[in-house]
Amino acid sequence: MKFGSNIVFIMVAICIGTVAAQVAEWDCSTTTGVFKRSTDCTISSQIVVTGKLNVTGIPDAQGNLPKIIGGGSNRLFKVESGGELVVKSLNLTGGVASGSGQDGYGGIIFNKGRFEARHSTFTDSYGKYGGVSLTVNGGKTYFYHSTLANNEAAKNGGAVYPQGPSTIFFAFNTTFKNNEAKEDYGGGFFLFFWVGGNFFGGKTFLVGSCLPCPVLPVLPHLALHCQSCFALPCLPCPPSSRPVVC
């Protein structure tokens, strides 16, 4: 009986290993499917996701995550309404969204659909609004066990900028570190006008920043930004005194 159990266990293990081996390497351009990525790659133009794309990184022997790198003048991903992007164990870096209108939204991701990140890092990216991501009305953005660090927005939302009454934003066990809003509000994140479903769970931190304000029902666009250290609680400070690194 014990011998038979071992045979079953071995067969199950072989099957699991076979399934894992069948997951293809992502070519850093395909927009639909389930993939793994084991090496760095550079994306020279944004990838537009209209279906479902799931990419899981395979860390190297030292535990370094594979990098998905922007080409220096483009964001990495745009998720259209109805599209879904899931990234796991990846380092997304070097995205740029510096154009006019929506071309300036989200240095790494401009999300109109659903975006989910797990055990990933988002670094050294720039957007006019939302250094890492901007989610428009109806979009859903989730960060789990991730880090957003050293990103910059020209205006609002050094790291993230969700907006609109039916937008969902959730961060769990996630760190916002040394992100900067150069001219306006929200070094770490900027929640704009009655955003629906904004939640923070687990050990989610703003590092190197002020304590965030509570959500205000009258002025929700002033909630959870880092401009309240040297003025009345939850009111924006004069430009000469407000800290903007979060």
Side-chain angles (χ1 to χ4, degrees):
M1 185 67 180
K2 185 176 181 180
F3 178 74
S5 299
N6 287 342
I7 292 176
V8 171
F9 174 78
I10 292 170
M11 291 178 66
V12 170
I14 291 173
C15 290
I16 293 173
T18 301
V19 171
Q22 291 175 346
V23 176
E25 186 84 357
W26 187 48
D27 61 6
C28 295
S29 63
T30 301
T31 61
T32 304
V34 178
F35 302 96
K36 63 183 179 181
R37 184 71 201 181
S38 55
T39 60
D40 298 348
C41 73
T42 298
I43 296 175
S44 57
S45 62
Q46 71 174 1
I47 293 173
V48 180
V49 179
T50 58
K52 293 185 178 181
L53 176 62
N54 187 313
V55 182
T56 298
I58 308 299
D60 64 17
Q62 289 72 44
N64 298 311
L65 303 179
K67 291 182 179 180
I68 309 299
I69 306 165
S73 61
N74 60 281
R75 76 165 66 92
L76 275 62
F77 296 97
K78 180 181 181 181
V79 183
E80 296 285 13
S81 178
E84 179 178 307
L85 172 63
V86 178
V87 298
K88 303 174 184 176
S89 302
L90 290 172
N91 180 351
L92 293 89
T93 185
V96 175
S98 58
S100 60
Q102 293 186 351
D103 289 336
Y105 291 176
I108 291 180
I109 296 158
F110 176 32
N111 181 27
K112 298 181 178 180
R114 184 182 187 279
F115 170 68
E116 177 182 321
R118 293 181 179 270
H119 303 283
S120 295
T121 61
F122 300 81
T123 62
D124 301 312
S125 295
Y126 170 88
K128 282 189 175 179
Y129 296 90
V132 170
S133 74
L134 188 142
T135 304
V136 297
N137 196 22
K140 300 177 181 179
T141 297
Y142 305 90
F143 291 98
Y144 299 94
H145 310 284
S146 295
T147 298
L148 295 81
N150 304 317
N151 302 289
E152 180 181 299
K155 298 290 187 179
N156 298 318
V160 296
Y161 185 169
Q163 59 176 239
S166 60
T167 294
I168 301 297
F169 173 73
F170 182 76
F172 183 85
N173 283 0
T174 291
T175 297
F176 296 78
K177 182 178 181 181
N178 296 333
N179 302 289
E180 183 173 3
K182 296 292 288 186
E183 296 181 20
D184 291 315
Y185 303 116
F189 35 83
F190 181 77
L191 308 185
F192 182 77
F193 288 111
W194 290 276
V195 176
N198 296 287
F199 300 103
F200 299 85
K203 296 180 179 179
T204 294
F205 298 105
L206 282 174
V207 179
S209 65
C210 314
L211 292 174
C213 299
V215 173
L216 301 178
V218 179
L219 296 173
H221 60 294
L222 294 182
L224 293 170
H225 63 67
C226 299
Q227 279 72 26
S228 59
C229 286
F230 302 108
L232 295 175
C234 300
L235 293 178
C237 306
S240 61
S241 64
R242 67 187 187 206
V244 293
V245 177
C246 307

